[in-house]
Amino acid sequence: SSSSNNLPSSYGCSSSGGSSPGNNNDDDDGLAVVNIRLEILYDEYPGETGWAFVQGSSVPLAQSMGSIPDRLKNTLNVYYGQLKEGLATFQISDSFNDGICCRY
């Protein structure tokens, strides 16, 4: 099964309303905003999974660190959001260090 979510708005991302990737120029600082779609297939232990988008500083623009509920195990999750135009880093981690795959 799968679920669809908006990236957490408390980190500067807003919902793209499920629109396809593209650019628009309605950001206050003049930089284009790029719509993104993130798909993550969680394993048996989604609470061990953390992810973040970082752009320009160490403050994440969107993240989910260890707050994934068990009901999402083995499900494909789709997140929509927006990042400012430019280089962004996507980070994903497994707090138990047994990898993000399979049964563990």
Side-chain angles (χ1 to χ4, degrees):
S1 69
S2 67
S3 67
S4 181
N5 304 286
N6 293 322
L7 290 173
S9 60
S10 60
Y11 293 97
C13 288
S14 59
S15 168
S16 66
S19 64
S20 61
N23 293 339
N24 62 49
N25 290 313
D26 57 7
D27 195 271
D28 290 340
D29 60 9
L31 293 174
V33 175
V34 179
N35 295 320
I36 61 167
R37 174 185 163 122
L38 170 64
E39 294 184 12
I40 297 179
L41 176 61
Y42 293 113
D43 63 9
E44 286 282 322
Y45 302 96
E48 296 175 358
T49 304
W51 58 265
F53 280 101
V54 178
Q55 192 170 27
S57 71
S58 61
V59 177
L61 296 171
Q63 70 176 8
S64 180
M65 298 303 220
S67 61
I68 310 299
D70 281 344
R71 66 181 167 78
L72 296 181
K73 69 181 179 181
N74 299 317
T75 62
L76 177 65
N77 291 265
V78 181
Y79 299 90
Y80 294 94
Q82 296 179 332
L83 296 175
K84 291 183 181 182
E85 183 179 50
L87 182 64
T89 301
F90 175 71
Q91 302 167 339
I92 191 164
S93 63
D94 177 80
S95 64
F96 200 69
N97 293 320
D98 60 356
I100 302 169
C101 115
C102 318
R103 294 176 54 190
Y104 305 110

